[in-house]
Amino acid sequence: MKEVKYIVDTTLRDGEQSPGIALRREDKVKIAGLLDNIGVYEIEAGIPCLGKKESDCIEEIVSSVRTARISVWSRMNAEDVKQSLICKPHILHIGTPVSYIQIYSKLKKNKAWVQKNILDCVDIALSQGVEVTVGLEDASRSDIGFILSLVKELKKAGVRVIRLADTVGVLTPGRTKELVGTIKSHCDIEVEMHVHNDLGMAVANSIVGANAGAAYIDCTLFGIGERTGNCNFYDFIHASDAIFQFAMSKKQVRQLEEECYELLKGAM
């Protein structure tokens, strides 16, 4: 029996960061509905702190879907978390810097500061009954010891899923297998893969990550996203449906692409 894997579609969040993409509210609601119809497990609908228009759109998506879980993205900031919760998402995703480059050079902070702030943010969201996933930003360039330590604390705090974010797109299949395998062997937590295509290996890295134990795979329609894009939804399903079980078929994804082409063609 093939192992079940779950698609997290981030077309409406990371995909919209692609040059040339600026979706109208009605476009986002339509795309969310189409993703929902084919059985996408989770739809990352946007970033509430961008403003009221974004928040209103997210709220409409939350109220319109039938089975998909709607998530929103937030910075590791208590006020951003509180603003995100107003949209009543099913899942709050909190981006958390874990590489020393981001912590020490970019933020001018330290590891203790990161751990305290993310645990405070997690507590705020969980106290409101909202599931939290934590994105380990720049995980591909991070110290594995710090990752393992942080993940264990997140698990204790009630986090069920952590997202491994290849923020600058430098992962290779070998490194992906090692990273996911190490986390799964040391921590009882679910793993989500979020990879970028800077080296042309987003699909390959996603397949390897899934094979190493990641249950959730982030994708976008046509592989759109910032810089060179994200894992291509259709290509990932097409390349791996012989080894994994998905809620949708590659034919359904291709039909979805056809329906969304005019809305997203600016980035292709």
Side-chain angles (χ1 to χ4, degrees):
M1 182 180 293
K2 294 188 288 187
E3 189 174 1
V4 176
K5 300 295 179 182
Y6 302 93
I7 298 298
V8 177
D9 187 277
T10 184
T11 301
L12 302 181
R13 200 276 296 176
D14 211 331
E16 199 184 20
Q17 294 174 216
S18 180
I21 290 292
L23 294 170
R24 299 172 300 174
R25 177 171 172 169
E26 56 265 36
D27 296 336
K28 291 185 177 183
V29 174
K30 178 179 179 179
I31 292 171
L34 293 170
L35 291 167
D36 184 33
N37 288 341
I38 67 169
V40 168
Y41 171 78
E42 178 185 334
I43 300 168
E44 193 170 31
I47 307 173
C49 71
L50 290 179
K52 189 176 186 303
K53 287 184 178 180
E54 180 86 346
S55 296
D56 288 347
C57 178
I58 292 168
E59 289 186 44
E60 183 175 352
I61 291 172
V62 171
S63 65
S64 66
V65 297
R66 296 177 303 166
T67 60
R69 308 197 74 196
I70 302 303
S71 63
V72 297
W73 189 94
S74 172
R75 293 178 296 184
M76 188 182 65
N77 176 290
E79 292 307 312
D80 282 10
V81 167
K82 292 174 184 176
Q83 184 173 346
S84 296
L85 294 174
I86 295 174
C87 298
K88 294 181 169 49
H90 304 118
I91 300 170
L92 175 62
H93 179 79
I94 306 173
T96 306
V98 292
S99 71
Y100 293 164
I101 294 173
Q102 288 199 346
I103 296 171
Y104 293 100
S105 300
K106 180 181 177 181
L107 298 177
K108 310 299 182 186
K109 302 293 185 179
N110 57 40
K111 293 183 290 183
W113 179 88
V114 169
Q115 180 169 305
K116 180 184 184 303
N117 275 269
I118 185 55
L119 291 177
D120 287 347
C121 289
V122 166
D123 183 63
I124 291 169
L126 292 180
S127 70
Q128 298 301 310
V130 176
E131 183 180 347
V132 177
T133 61
V134 173
L136 305 182
E137 294 183 354
D138 209 16
S140 45
R141 298 190 296 173
S142 302
D143 174 61
I144 189 62
F146 177 55
I147 286 179
L148 294 177
S149 174
L150 184 60
V151 168
K152 288 176 182 178
E153 292 301 315
L154 291 169
K155 176 69 176 181
K156 289 179 187 177
V159 174
R160 185 180 65 85
V161 180
I162 54 104
R163 171 190 277 179
L164 292 180
D166 181 25
T167 304
V168 294
V170 296
L171 273 181
T172 60
R175 173 64 176 142
T176 300
K177 180 180 180 181
E178 177 186 23
L179 184 58
V180 176
T182 300
I183 292 173
K184 293 295 292 183
S185 65
H186 286 81
C187 306
D188 180 22
I189 200 163
E190 294 289 351
V191 173
E192 176 181 333
M193 292 299 302
H194 182 94
V195 297
H196 287 267
N197 202 41
D198 296 71
L199 300 180
M201 292 188 283
V203 172
N205 289 331
S206 296
I207 293 172
V208 171
N211 205 39
Y216 303 89
I217 307 298
D218 291 12
C219 298
T220 60
L221 293 172
F222 303 103
I224 64 173
E226 62 178 328
R227 300 191 312 279
T228 57
N230 294 57
C231 179
N232 184 297
F233 191 170
Y234 176 80
D235 288 350
F236 175 73
I237 298 290
H238 179 67
S240 61
D241 69 345
I243 53 177
F244 303 129
Q245 179 67 48
F246 301 103
M248 70 291 298
S249 67
K250 58 187 178 184
K251 180 179 179 181
Q252 287 176 298
V253 181
R254 182 62 89 199
Q255 291 173 338
L256 175 59
E257 285 185 334
E258 293 173 359
E259 293 183 77
C260 295
Y261 177 77
E262 288 299 320
L263 302 177
L264 299 170
K265 67 180 180 180
M268 296 175 286

